[in-house]
Amino acid sequence: MKKILEVKDLKVTFNKWHQKIEAVRGLSFDLYEGETLGIVGESGSGKSSAIKALVKLHPESITQMSGQVYYGKSELIGSTDKEMQKIRGREIGMIFQDPMTSLNPTTPIGAQIIEGYRRHFPHISSKEARAYAIQMLHRVGFSQPEEWISAYPHTLSGGMRQRVMIALALAPKPKLLLADEPTTALDVTLQAQILILLKEIQQDMHTTILLITHDLSVVAATCDRVLVMYGGKIVESGPVHELFASPRHPYTQRLLQSIPRLSQTKEEPIIPIEGSPPDLSLPLKGCAFCDRCPSAMQICAREEPPLFEEKVHCWLYSPRRL
Amino acid sequence: MKKPLIQVQHLYKTFNQGVQAVSDLSFDIYPGETLGLVGESGCGKSTTGRTLLRLEKATSGQVLFEGSSIFSLNEKEFQPFRKKMQIIFQDPYASLNPRMTIGEILSEPFTIHQLARGDQKKRGVKQLLDLVGLPLAYVDRFPHELSGGQRQRVGIARALAVSPQFIVCDEPLSALDVSIQAQIVNLLKQLQIELNLSYLFIAHDLAMVKYLSHRVAVMYLGHIVEIGTSDLLYKNPKHPYTQALLSAIPLPDPVTERSRKPIILKGELPSALNPPKGCPLVTRCPFSMPICAQVKPTMKEVAPAQFAACHLEPG
């Protein structure tokens, strides 16, 4: 399989007041063509900061970034704004969590799709672009797209707006789609529809998807592989079936135990993870999960765990006795 | 059979411009029981909770607390009932005053209801912190110094200050991380047993509602379409809307998740300004019949202790 994206030791630090927040503390992964890779983590795990850093959406004045992101032959972190503008949208599309604040409230949805499309394909006539926008709206499930094309975002329901976002992102036919919590603002019934839609379109257009979510069920439904992030780092990665069947890292194990299943009876307790995630404005020593980990050993507080068995950052899997 | 603590009878709430948020709701909540209220956003779950606490004025209908009607009382007469009925809000960031310390926030209910003063009040605050599992040192902290889960604990402690019998939990987990949600759920469960509390638990996480609730009511477009004991209702939903809603629950397991076939209802949610005349689901129901557009279905017992408002023959 061909690599479409290669991320090496990505670090993102924000300046906030007089503090430095180390949101992403060294992230490396590869993304292969046609796959859906999930990044799962709680708020503050650095998943959103990382995905935004890939396309350099963080304001430069308060952000320091290091590491490399290779997209084909180009390295994105060192790219200029001008170079990034050719990549964003055209090569790498994006869908965000909240479709209401991501759409322009003063422009009809059709015009927004056309604008984005013609930005990358200026030679297309406006008539052709309009026909294409109608086609895209139809593709994402609008039954009478000709009537909807001049509708404003506020007249649409949440689910319809998220469909427009998907049409908008996919109109320039990007090779890679970054989806940041695409269904979090939606009800379960709509979530199910949007996830099915994303899958169909991925198959039609051979898009690669990098999906960010806090919801393990969304990962279970859509992803081929998954990275689990905690405290700005990957703690575990693997194919989705393997990770759910036999989670290795204590954080992943505990996370899976802390959500109720439909088959769960009231007598079977759900087991919470006590404590709260680490404060990333303070220097972290050792494993970020150490304070909350039931299996923590002395070494966990001292030294950061390297990668063991090619998938898990945890001292429990060290081949030598500790 | 125990007597119900809360009886809701034909409750209606219409907002200005004729938005029918809640139509003809009737249900009971028993002492020590959790009734889960589920449905999609905009179906009227939160309005139901707020209206039955008199935080919104009901358009018509009755709410009885231990048999006495609370809507006919004036503010002064209602004051003693306010102590017995409390609410926990969704957003632990927005529901605490940022300028008050946790100690001040928790002593306010004692002052308002004239329950304690001086040292007695301080002892009360300490007991509350202890009850919800927060360190005593937090009395001098401000809300911004606490995490989301800790703030939600403060919200719960504040509701418990006046020793209520009934608490409306309005999406208390939605703003919290997965690993923290379980902490709060377990706390709510433990408090229910210790203090014999009744909850109206409003949430959109259907697996969590099933886990926490004894009975569940399903709302659609301001109506309760089905109500029953949570295990039976989830196992054997009778109303077409309940069936669609439950089939859409995502599962944290890639094997079953990928074989799942959600029932997708056609079309969009109708406007609450102009709801359908007959059954609220008629425009989207896969089984709709001519009668559904004409006559609003009434609640029928479709299985033991399970009721659905649908014209289809049960079975």
Side-chain angles (χ1 to χ4, degrees), chain B residues 1 3 21 38 57 63 87 97 127 144 148 159 161 163 168 178 180 183 196 204 230 252 269-270 286 290 303 310:
Chain B
M1 185 90 191
K3 271 200 205 137
V38 299
K57 196 175 180 310
V63 171
I87 184 166
N97 186 336
Q127 274 171 6
H144 75 265
S163 316
V168 171
V178 180
I180 309 296
Q183 294 178 10
N196 194 32
H204 62 260
S230 56
L269 195 69
C310 180

Side-chain angles (χ1 to χ4, degrees), chain A residues 36-58:
Chain A
T36 303
L37 176 67
I39 301 184
V40 67
E42 298 177 82
S43 30
S45 63
K47 56 190 194 307
S48 268
S49 305
I51 204 170
K52 287 203 178 109
L54 297 181
V55 277
K56 294 186 73 175
L57 285 179
H58 294 299

Side-chain angles (χ1 to χ4, degrees), chain A residues 67-247:
Chain A
Q68 289 96 41
V69 175
Y70 293 101
Y71 175 79
K73 289 200 178 71
S74 15
E75 197 287 308
L76 303 185
I77 298 295
S79 296
T80 61
D81 268 359
K82 220 169 172 177
E83 289 164 338
M84 284 312 293
Q85 280 166 13
K86 286 189 189 140
I87 288 178
R88 285 188 207 122
R90 174 68 185 92
E91 300 287 332
I92 305 179
M94 285 150 276
I95 322 175
F96 300 102
Q97 173 171 356
D98 185 350
M100 195 59 211
T101 52
S102 316
L103 292 170
N104 183 343
T106 64
T107 310
I109 56 169
Q112 298 189 43
I113 298 175
I114 293 169
E115 183 192 346
Y117 182 53
R118 289 190 76 198
R119 170 101 183 49
H120 295 290
F121 299 94
H123 58 281
I124 303 274
S125 74
S126 57
K127 211 172 157 190
E128 281 173 285
R130 194 187 132 85
Y132 183 64
I134 291 175
Q135 194 193 326
M136 281 311 294
L137 283 178
H138 183 70
R139 183 66 200 82
V140 295
F142 282 80
S143 51
Q144 279 141 339
E146 301 83 4
E147 287 172 29
W148 285 105
I149 195 158
S150 47
Y152 285 87
H154 75 269
T155 61
L156 272 54
S157 68
M160 288 164 105
R161 280 182 215 139
Q162 196 58 292
R163 287 168 194 276
V164 172
M165 280 297 297
I166 293 173
L168 205 62
L170 292 175
K173 301 201 176 83
K175 295 193 186 72
L176 169 61
L177 183 68
L178 307 181
D180 189 356
E181 303 265 12
T183 57
T184 305
L186 305 177
D187 283 307
V188 285
T189 47
L190 290 170
Q191 169 167 303
Q193 293 179 31
I194 296 290
L195 292 180
I196 292 170
L197 176 69
L198 274 177
K199 271 214 149 141
E200 285 173 6
I201 291 186
Q202 175 176 36
Q203 276 159 15
D204 284 9
M205 300 175 75
H206 307 288
T207 318
T208 309
I209 297 181
L210 180 57
L211 183 113
I212 303 287
T213 181
H214 70 281
D215 189 337
L216 290 161
S217 323
V218 171
V219 172
T222 52
C223 298
D224 303 310
R225 280 194 308 137
V226 56
L227 312 175
V228 183
M229 278 188 82
Y230 187 82
K233 289 198 153 193
I234 295 175
V235 294
E236 180 168 8
S237 62
V240 77
H241 286 276
E242 205 179 296
L243 188 115
F244 278 80
S246 53

Side-chain angles (χ1 to χ4, degrees), chain A residues 273-303:
Chain A
I273 307 179
E274 295 302 339
S276 27
D279 183 347
L280 295 173
S281 64
L282 303 173
L284 267 178
K285 225 180 146 197
C287 171
F289 189 58
C290 177
D291 295 348
R292 304 172 79 187
C293 182
S295 335
M297 302 173 288
Q298 279 177 342
I299 190 167
C300 303
R302 280 199 320 266
E303 271 180 68

Side-chain angles (χ1 to χ4, degrees), chain B residues 253-267:
Chain B
D253 175 352
V255 183
T256 44
E257 176 63 29
R258 276 158 213 226
S259 57
R260 182 169 69 92
K261 288 269 174 294
I263 304 167
I264 308 281
L265 292 174
K266 58 181 191 243

